[in-house]
Amino acid sequence: MTVTKGESAQEGADDKGDMTGGGAPDDGYAPSERRLARERYRRARARRATAVAALSTLVTAALLYLVVVNAPGWPRTKETFFSAHYAREAFPKVLEGLWLNVRLLLICGVAVLVLGMLIAVARTLRGPVFFPLRVLAAAYTDFFRGLPLIINLMIVVLGVPALRLQGVTVDPVLLGGTALTLTYSAYVAEVFRAGIESIHPSQRAAARSLGLTNRQALRYVVLPQAVRRQVPPLLNDLVSLQKDTGLVSIGGAVDAVRAADIIVGRSLNYTPYIVAGLVFVALTIPMTRFTDWVTARMDRRRAQGGSL
């Protein structure tokens, strides 16, 4: 459907005619034929797009299904990875272990946010007196962002008990949570620092002109804006943390992954791994969709010129 310049002008006149001079709807308003035709066209185009998307999805799914089930090794793969018997056996045990992953997410998530904020603030402190603190904060973030998480977990979970220090826990859950906190706080610190540095210096200058100290300007003016701006990337880091809590199983902690591994070691069937993976996916999807919703909401407000 092609809309000419004259039709566009007429549509604008039709839309203006929808309102009276005082800005209130006219009680006797009736949409024009042109507007009704435009709305019908938009609805038809939306229905057509939905139908095409659904059809293409069904065709793609059918092709993938045919490729997989007709593969030479599919019967053996189905028995090894998609056994209904072992899935029923593994599901309650995996759910029981998942509670440990959820607790680690909640506790480590809070610790990561607090420690990451402290490191970010340390890196943005001004003045030569804070130079050593800035160097230590920068070294911390560089080291733990460069160190693979799996190696960090092995060092902390396996290395700390080997030291046999008095009063130091050897619980793999606590040690694994510590390793997760150390690694993710480095990533979160950089997210917070980017948010702090994105605040225009005029904001701090305006706060100082009102009589606030540097500390008060940071606390009441800079940090609130920085945190609001960085909510989407922070939520993404928490989604990644939720998945990586499964790595604490390398120290022997019985979480969802370890519960599946126990059944696999006994049965030599890998279906419990599939069950554990699907459980993690089911837990992650709501967080991911919430992150997308928050990101889209903030983008709309930014496009409309609203405050973040």
Side-chain angles (χ1 to χ4, degrees):
M1 178 178 180
T2 304
V3 180
T4 64
K5 183 176 180 181
E7 291 175 342
S8 299
Q10 180 62 35
E11 291 173 1
D14 292 340
D15 293 338
K16 289 181 180 179
D18 296 347
M19 305 295 292
T20 63
D26 187 359
D27 294 337
Y29 165 73
S32 65
E33 287 296 328
R34 189 185 303 278
R35 181 169 184 175
L36 292 175
R38 184 170 67 250
E39 291 177 353
R40 286 194 297 269
Y41 169 74
R42 289 173 178 172
R43 288 194 297 268
R45 186 170 61 177
R47 289 193 298 266
R48 183 167 59 250
T50 302
V52 171
L55 180 61
S56 63
T57 301
L58 289 175
V59 171
T60 303
L63 290 176
L64 290 175
Y65 174 79
L66 292 175
V67 169
V68 171
V69 300
N70 291 321
W74 168 244
R76 181 60 178 170
T77 301
K78 180 180 179 181
E79 179 184 352
T80 305
F81 289 92
F82 302 100
S83 170
H85 169 72
Y86 288 108
R88 287 191 297 268
E89 179 184 351
F91 186 70
K93 299 183 185 303
V94 168
L95 281 185
E96 183 179 352
L98 184 67
W99 174 234
L100 174 60
N101 298 104
V102 173
R103 285 180 292 168
L104 279 172
L105 171 64
L106 296 176
I107 297 173
C108 293
V110 174
V112 163
L113 292 175
V114 173
L115 183 57
M117 174 63 76
L118 293 176
I119 297 171
V121 171
R123 290 202 64 181
T124 57
L125 290 176
R126 300 179 178 181
V129 69
F130 296 113
F131 177 76
L133 192 58
R134 291 197 299 269
V135 170
L136 289 175
Y140 178 93
T141 55
D142 290 344
F143 179 78
F144 282 104
R145 290 176 72 199
L147 183 68
L149 175 58
I150 188 68
I151 295 179
N152 185 19
L153 279 162
M154 289 180 178
I155 292 173
V156 175
V157 176
L158 304 178
V160 172
L163 296 175
R164 299 181 181 179
L165 298 174
Q166 295 294 328
V168 177
T169 181
V170 295
D171 187 348
V173 176
L174 296 178
L175 294 176
T178 301
L180 290 172
T181 302
L182 290 173
T183 295
Y184 272 90
S185 60
Y187 289 98
V188 170
E190 288 301 283
V191 173
F192 278 132
R193 185 171 72 92
I196 292 172
E197 294 182 348
S198 70
I199 305 301
H200 197 274
S202 62
Q203 296 288 313
R204 193 187 297 264
R208 295 284 288 140
S209 69
L210 294 175
L212 274 67
T213 64
N214 281 324
R215 181 181 300 177
Q216 290 173 330
L218 179 66
R219 177 181 177 183
Y220 296 110
V221 178
V222 177
L223 287 183
Q225 297 183 69
V227 171
R228 285 197 298 270
R229 290 186 177 187
Q230 299 304 102
V231 166
L234 288 174
L235 290 175
N236 282 326
D237 284 335
L238 290 180
V239 170
S240 298
L241 175 62
Q242 185 270 320
K243 295 183 295 184
D244 286 340
T245 55
L247 295 176
V248 299
S249 60
I250 65 173
V254 183
D255 68 330
V257 177
R258 182 59 178 168
D261 189 57
I262 292 173
I263 300 175
V264 170
R266 184 179 69 248
S267 63
L268 298 180
N269 187 283
Y270 297 103
T271 303
Y273 285 149
I274 302 298
V275 174
L278 292 177
V279 168
F280 272 102
V281 170
L283 186 63
T284 303
I285 286 177
M287 297 178 62
T288 306
R289 295 286 76 80
F290 177 71
T291 301
D292 292 342
W293 177 81
V294 171
T295 303
R297 181 173 178 269
M298 296 184 69
D299 289 343
R300 286 195 301 269
R301 296 185 62 181
R302 188 182 295 111
Q304 295 170 0
S307 60
L308 295 177

